[in-house]
Amino acid sequence: MMFAQAADQISKGNGFIAALDQSGGSTPKALKLYGVAEDAYSGESEMYDMIHAMRSRIIKSPAFTGDKVVGTILFEQTMDRDIDGIPTAEFLWSKRGVVPFLKIDKGLEAEADGVQLMKPMPGLEALLARAKGLGVFGTKERSVVHAANAKGIAAIVAQQFAVGDQVAAAGLMPILEPEVTISIADKPEAEAMLQDEILKHLNALPADRKVMLKLSLPSVDNFYAPLVDHPRVLKVVALSGGHSREGANAILARNRGIIASFSRALTEGLSAQQSDAEFDAALGDAISSIHAASVAG
């Protein structure tokens, strides 16, 4: 992969990032929404076979190309598997023109100070080296803000940037994802604290360093404009965070310079029971609507 070419594709933002990175805990729910009940597979290995078949079907669909989908976030199990005999990351870039990212976090700690930090990531250095070797461009790691707690938010941002430093040192582009829960009463206050902390860390980065940010859609339109415009930010992307596709698209379209990185909102309405024609049509409609919202801003 040409790193500069991939960075340019993401920076221009003429599309959105598809989040196909459900991990062990969220995979059964993703499969159920796709019409695959838990009694359709036995054990973890078969479960991952099922979700890989779903992801492969999405990636191989005629609608899934770099014209509208500029990047895709993969789960480690997906990165380690093939599509039509080609490693998934290589298939994405060479056959679809889509930039591959890898989810690297290992889940969340228990809540403390209104946030959930990321669990330790043993073997991260080896994982990053393997991802780089397989043609992955960047990574994504998620932690969660549940309250406007200054101490907790400072800790969550510090941890995100510390991991981002490791990712950058491995030659990969970090997506930092400090998600703010959309249902909390003090969401606007939490977002203000979060942005202040992120700006402190961005301003301290070396001049040649860039990061990406994956954030919950803001309570106030264009609230994150200082992050969108920051010279150390390659791109700000938004998670759907529990909004329906229609609702998430409506908010996204009002926020300049932010593109989608949707997971559940992307696969809404897709089913294992659909014919290929029905599936491709439904996915095409989803991709077109999210693309339109992403480029509207």
Side-chain angles (χ1 to χ4, degrees), residues 251-263:
I251 301 169
L252 180 66
R254 301 195 301 266
N255 281 272
R256 175 186 62 82
I258 299 179
I259 65 174
S261 177
F262 293 170
S263 175

Side-chain angles (χ1 to χ4, degrees), residues 113-126:
D113 296 320
V115 303
Q116 285 181 276
L117 295 171
M118 294 179 283
K119 289 181 177 177
M121 301 177 206
L124 178 58
E125 192 173 325

Side-chain angles (χ1 to χ4, degrees), residues 12-16 66-70 235 249 252-260 287-297:
K12 286 178 178 173
N14 294 326
F16 68 97
D67 294 341
K68 293 180 178 177
V69 183
V70 294
K235 200 69 188 174
N249 283 341
L252 180 66
R254 301 195 301 266
N255 281 272
R256 175 186 62 82
I258 299 179
I259 65 174
I287 287 173
S288 293
S289 71
I290 297 169
H291 173 263
S294 292
V295 300

Side-chain angles (χ1 to χ4, degrees), residues 260-291:
S261 177
F262 293 170
S263 175
R264 188 193 51 75
L266 169 65
T267 57
E268 190 180 296
L270 300 182
S271 167
Q273 286 72 44
Q274 288 167 331
S275 68
D276 286 346
E278 291 168 336
F279 180 90
D280 291 339
L283 180 62
D285 288 346
I287 287 173
S288 293
S289 71
I290 297 169
H291 173 263

Side-chain angles (χ1 to χ4, degrees), residues 33-297:
L33 289 170
Y34 181 56
V36 178
E38 289 193 41
D39 61 7
Y41 51 88
S42 176
E44 196 171 78
S45 179
E46 285 189 16
M47 177 184 77
Y48 286 129
D49 287 344
M50 292 279 192
I51 198 75
H52 188 65
M54 171 188 166
R55 289 166 178 158
S56 298
R57 193 182 190 194
I58 290 170
I59 290 167
K60 289 172 67 176
S61 171
F64 196 93
T65 69
D67 294 341
K68 293 180 178 177
V69 183
V70 294
T72 299
I73 304 170
L74 305 172
F75 176 48
E76 187 179 344
Q77 286 262 1
T78 310
M79 178 186 75
D80 288 336
R81 295 183 184 220
D82 294 349
I83 297 177
D84 291 350
I86 302 170
T88 302
E90 182 185 336
F91 186 95
L92 279 162
W93 182 244
S94 66
K95 302 295 185 184
R96 314 310 282 160
V98 175
V99 177
F101 293 82
L102 174 68
K103 165 190 159 69
I104 57 170
D105 67 82
K106 303 298 183 187
L108 302 170
E109 299 277 20
E111 184 176 338
D113 296 320
V115 303
Q116 285 181 276
L117 295 171
M118 294 179 283
K119 289 181 177 177
M121 301 177 206
L124 178 58
E125 192 173 325
L127 176 61
L128 295 174
R130 188 154 54 84
K132 180 79 171 172
L134 287 168
V136 168
F137 170 73
T139 65
K140 188 215 77 166
E141 65 266 7
R142 172 178 173 263
S143 44
V144 182
V145 174
H146 295 292
N149 181 306
K151 181 182 177 184
I153 290 173
I156 217 170
V157 174
Q159 185 191 42
Q160 284 282 346
F161 274 86
V163 174
D165 286 345
Q166 286 183 268
V167 171
L172 296 165
M173 174 61 63
I175 301 178
L176 313 182
E177 185 184 7
E179 175 183 346
V180 178
T181 304
I182 65 170
S183 58
I184 59 174
D186 53 1
K187 181 170 176 275
E189 293 81 6
E191 289 168 339
M193 292 178 183
L194 181 65
Q195 177 159 255
D196 287 347
E197 286 296 322
I198 291 173
L199 285 168
K200 285 182 201 172
H201 285 266
L202 287 174
N203 292 335
L205 287 178
D208 61 348
R209 178 83 59 79
K210 286 184 184 288
V211 300
M212 294 173 63
L213 299 167
K214 181 168 178 174
L215 304 171
S216 302
L217 290 159
S219 301
V220 177
D221 292 348
N222 292 311
F223 180 76
Y224 288 130
L227 302 179
V228 170
D229 295 333
H230 200 284
R232 303 289 173 270
V233 176
L234 181 70
K235 200 69 188 174
V236 178
V237 305
L239 57 108
S240 51
H243 291 290
S244 67
R245 183 192 303 145
E246 185 179 3
N249 283 341
I251 301 169
L252 180 66
R254 301 195 301 266
N255 281 272
R256 175 186 62 82
I258 299 179
I259 65 174
S261 177
F262 293 170
S263 175
R264 188 193 51 75
L266 169 65
T267 57
E268 190 180 296
L270 300 182
S271 167
Q273 286 72 44
Q274 288 167 331
S275 68
D276 286 346
E278 291 168 336
F279 180 90
D280 291 339
L283 180 62
D285 288 346
I287 287 173
S288 293
S289 71
I290 297 169
H291 173 263
S294 292
V295 300

